Amino acid sequence: MKNIMVTGGAGFIGSNFVIHMLEKYDDYQIVVYDKLTYAGNMDNLLDVSDDPRYTFVKADICDAAAVEQAIQQHNIDTIVNFAAETHVDRSIMNPDAFIQTSVYGTYVLLEAARKFGLERYHQISTDEVYGHIPAGYSSVETDNLEPRSPYAASKASADLLVNAYWVTYQLPVTITRGSNNIGPFQYPEKVVPLFATNAIDGEPLPVYGDGRQMREYQYVRDHCEAIDLVLHKGVLGEAYNIGTGVEMENLAMVEILLDELRLSSDLIRHVADRPGHDRRYSLDIGKIRALGWRPRHSAEEAIRVTARWYRDNEWWWRKIKSGEFKAYYQAQYGRRLQEAAPTN
Ligand code: NAD
Ligand code: DAU
């Protein structure tokens, strides 16, 4: 492994992964291949923009000719596929791009990996493929995939394609299924950056339903370390769950966030719930632990570090929140917030 193509590398986790890999390995060349959708952001890669080991290609993973050209031109031996539409709420409003990128786009990458005999194809997947998990149980990698949103279904479809290429063609694949990531460079549609930036501006925090849904919030750089480990030590054909193994109610996350920012919970508004909202995800992380990985941050530490990053990096998020985001926010929350009463 030497020349790695990181698809979706201008997004949140992808950019953190690129920074991690260039910090850790002197002799790897990284090609970021990214379409730059609304979620792709070159600011995320500023720290590495002058690094001679890094190259950027602006293109779509659904474009087979562009994928093949990038692989040949940069002598790629490994693909790590982060590219996807990633926001559950947007998938409910308009699923089309989710299916295009995660189903057709993953197929295009797999075909290219097969054609050029790549050393590794690694798929970045999610705990959402397992669906809602009842209390007292944690998902293991061999569980059935029971996705319930268009986003989760698009990701589960990709996992099935990856597995099919392993079984049918012995393409050397691995999959990681991560829980909710938080940290620097997360587009502020996702709950933690949305709430941190709204709170800093004194805007309401739209908590869906009763706010007692459970998520496993993990620090993005911990997740990147685990992906790196699976790339180097993972068993071909296998999937690995990556999380903290500890889930938390959304309201508890909000309280920690507001405490770190020294702001009041008066900002909380309970708004109409997300349709089909999965109440709980929970990962059994025994398999990735057995490879030697431990998360460096608890969920609470991850939330606090993240809150401070948004407090200290307004340069990054203010321009996002003043652009396309405004129309999205109005469509997603305008009516719900009008109908919501303050909690206190
Ligand atoms: P993100 O939305 O921040 O970034 C996605 C990136 O993919 C963007 O840079 C975008 O421009 C690019 N992209 C989208 N469609 C593309 C296409 N057709 N061709 C090329 N590039 C395209 O996403 P993220 O939160 O960083 O998530 C990255 C991956 O990790 C996704 O596959 C997601 O499903 C998975 N994941 C995310 C989380 C999380 O909590 N954010 C958790 C587990 C798994
Ligand atoms: O679990 C991994 C997944 O985590 C990733 O695969 C997805 O790409 C990523 O977006 C994330 O999905 P979630 O739907 O869990 O994340 P989100 O930040 O949208 O929501 C987290 C929780 O907060 C969820 O229970 C819904 C709730 N929420 C979210 C928003 C945006 C609110 O209560 N209010 C909000 O405004």
Side-chain angles (χ1 to χ4, degrees):
M1 186 178 315
K2 230 170 154 19
N3 300 322
I4 305 174
M5 186 156 99
V6 180
T7 54
F12 163 48
I13 310 177
S15 60
N16 277 283
F17 179 74
V18 169
I19 295 165
H20 162 84
M21 294 297 275
L22 289 173
E23 278 174 4
K24 183 160 169 197
Y25 301 101
D26 289 338
D27 55 339
Y28 287 5
Q29 307 287 320
I30 303 277
V31 174
V32 170
Y33 182 106
D34 197 297
K35 182 182 174 182
L36 294 181
T37 67
Y38 77 93
N41 185 347
M42 296 305 280
D43 282 351
N44 301 358
L45 292 162
L46 279 178
D47 283 355
V48 297
S49 58
D50 292 332
D51 192 316
R53 299 167 299 158
Y54 153 81
T55 310
F56 183 80
V57 175
K58 181 177 185 304
D60 190 332
I61 63 165
C62 298
D63 181 343
V67 167
E68 291 189 10
Q69 190 187 347
I71 290 174
Q72 286 181 294
Q73 190 172 341
H74 300 284
N75 204 17
I76 296 299
D77 52 44
T78 300
I79 292 176
V80 183
N81 180 29
F82 289 88
E85 293 290 333
T86 59
H87 193 35
V88 174
D89 292 322
R90 290 191 196 243
S91 84
I92 294 167
M93 287 169 130
N94 185 5
D96 191 82
F98 288 75
I99 310 305
Q100 287 295 332
T101 295
S102 281
V103 184
Y104 188 71
T106 299
Y107 154 74
V108 167
L109 294 176
L110 288 166
E111 270 299 296
R114 182 163 86 94
K115 177 170 175 181
F116 291 101
L118 299 196
E119 264 174 51
R120 180 71 69 86
Y121 176 90
H122 182 78
Q123 177 70 8
I124 306 297
S125 183
T126 167
D127 59 3
E128 302 209 4
V129 297
Y130 298 118
H132 161 74
I133 304 303
Y137 184 76
S138 295
S139 306
V140 292
E141 289 83 352
T142 47
D143 282 351
N144 286 340
L145 306 190
E146 296 183 16
R148 290 161 25 103
S149 72
Y151 163 71
S154 73
K155 295 295 293 182
S157 305
D159 282 15
L160 295 179
L161 281 168
V162 173
N163 192 51
Y165 273 67
W166 162 246
V167 172
T168 310
Y169 306 113
Q170 294 80 53
L171 187 75
V173 304
T174 38
I175 298 175
T176 44
R177 299 193 178 126
S179 67
N180 288 60
N181 281 226
I182 56 175
F185 308 132
Q186 187 169 30
Y187 193 88
E189 65 193 350
K190 308 287 166 38
V191 73
V192 170
L194 176 71
F195 283 14
T197 56
N198 275 14
I200 289 165
D201 279 346
E203 296 287 333
L205 312 185
V207 169
Y208 293 163
D210 63 6
R212 304 202 52 190
Q213 307 85 4
M214 305 190 88
R215 293 292 184 272
E216 220 177 293
Y217 293 101
Q218 67 170 322
Y219 195 60
V220 61
R221 291 291 288 261
D222 293 344
H223 184 202
C224 292
E225 286 185 2
I227 296 165
D228 172 6
L229 183 65
V230 171
L231 273 177
H232 290 91
K233 300 238 173 79
V235 175
L236 295 181
E238 296 278 316
Y240 293 83
N241 292 338
I242 305 177
T244 60
V246 181
E247 66 271 19
M248 171 186 284
E249 288 188 353
N250 285 332
L251 277 177
M253 172 275 290
V254 179
E255 292 300 339
I256 295 166
L257 191 73
L258 289 170
D259 179 66
E260 185 61 33
L261 296 172
R262 312 266 185 279
L263 292 168
S264 158
S265 52
D266 292 352
L267 293 170
I268 294 173
R269 299 287 182 282
H270 287 270
V271 301
D273 207 347
R274 171 186 282 175
H277 197 167
D278 289 335
R279 269 192 91 73
R280 178 174 181 266
Y281 301 127
S282 177
L283 290 177
D284 182 317
I285 56 166
K287 193 169 170 182
I288 185 75
R289 276 179 166 269
L291 275 193
W293 176 84
R294 300 279 179 281
R296 292 180 197 270
H297 302 78
S298 67
E300 174 165 352
E301 286 163 350
I303 294 163
R304 290 187 184 279
V305 173
T306 302
R308 292 200 292 276
W309 190 85
Y310 285 89
R311 184 195 63 200
D312 297 341
N313 288 279
E314 293 193 13
W315 70 272
W316 185 83
W317 57 265
R318 283 222 180 270
K319 51 187 160 185
I320 297 175
K321 282 192 109 175
S322 61
E324 175 268 0
F325 182 83
K326 276 192 168 169
Y328 165 75
Y329 192 81
Q330 183 54 31
Q332 187 66 256
Y333 297 101
R335 190 183 182 138
R336 283 156 130 176
L337 279 167
Q338 262 175 13
E339 289 170 356
T343 315
N344 301 313

